[in-house]
């Protein structure tokens, strides 16, 4: 079996070359007294064969509806994201600490991978966090 090497700034390891990259990047605002500081999670996934970005996003929405109490989709729209076609979602759900709000952007890469960017904050903190989220999303550049 062919092997590949995953190399980061901190470590490396070998894995089968047909394994799917499901990398996650997580950044958070500094603790601000909020139970959940505003944060962003960027993740890779694979669009299944026979599907496209819209189908992938629809399955993600269905999974969120099943998993999140009080899930309410407020927005789903196509957008341009750093020169690529993408889909943007905005939704809320009820967590133990209160209402949460999340903005997600999904963009497909040419090799059937999808990159998702999820900007999250408490519902009461989201409006104040939006300029920071907007700046992060507008600064996003593909390699």
């Amino acid at each position: 079996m062919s092997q590949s090497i995953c190399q980061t700034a901190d470590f490396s390891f070998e894995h089968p070359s047909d394994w799917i990259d499901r990398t996650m990047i997580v950044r958070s605002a500094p603790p601000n007294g909020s139970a959940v500081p505003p944060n962003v999670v960027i993740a890779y996934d694979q669009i299944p064969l026979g599907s496209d970005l819209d189908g992938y996003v629809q399955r993600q929405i269905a999974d969120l509806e099943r998993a999140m109490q009080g899930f309410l989709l407020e927005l789903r729209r196509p957008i341009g994201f750093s020169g690529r076609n993408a889909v943007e979602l905005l939704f809320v759900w009820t967590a133990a600490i209160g209402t949460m709000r999340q903005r997600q952007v999904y963009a497909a890469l040419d090799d059937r991978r999808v990159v998702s960017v999820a900007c999250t904050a408490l519902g009461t903190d989201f409006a104040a966090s939006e300029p920071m989220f907007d700046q992060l999303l507008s600064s996003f550049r593909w390699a």
Side-chain angles (χ1 to χ4, degrees):
M1 177 178 281
S2 162
Q3 296 287 306
S4 293
I5 296 175
C6 176
Q7 178 74 45
T8 75
D10 298 310
F11 58 85
S12 68
F13 62 92
E14 290 186 18
H15 60 86
S17 59
D18 63 346
W19 280 23
I20 298 167
D21 181 355
R22 303 281 309 256
T23 303
M24 296 186 95
I25 300 164
V26 181
R27 296 290 187 267
S28 173
N32 60 1
S34 174
V36 178
N39 63 81
V40 63
V41 176
I42 302 171
Y44 285 93
D45 199 1
Q46 189 79 26
I47 297 175
L49 289 174
S51 188
D52 60 9
L53 181 61
D54 285 327
Y56 178 88
V57 171
Q58 191 56 45
R59 280 188 297 284
Q60 296 302 305
I61 293 169
D63 289 348
L64 293 167
E65 287 176 326
R66 281 190 295 275
M68 296 178 157
Q69 181 181 354
F71 176 85
L72 176 63
L73 181 63
E74 297 178 329
L75 173 77
R76 176 192 173 147
R77 67 179 177 175
I79 63 167
F81 184 56
S82 189
R84 289 194 177 269
N85 292 328
V87 176
E88 179 182 38
L89 305 179
L90 181 65
F91 58 88
V92 297
W93 76 96
T94 305
I97 57 173
T99 300
M100 300 295 299
R101 177 163 294 202
Q102 187 171 93
R103 179 178 176 186
Q104 291 185 352
V105 175
Y106 293 90
L109 302 180
D110 296 337
D111 61 0
R112 304 203 56 75
R113 290 181 300 154
V114 63
V115 173
S116 64
V117 182
C119 301
T120 309
L122 278 170
T124 54
D125 297 339
F126 196 88
S129 302
E130 277 188 294
M132 176 179 49
F133 292 150
D134 289 341
Q135 190 280 326
L136 184 150
L137 292 168
S138 68
S139 73
F140 196 95
R141 299 291 179 265
W142 302 104

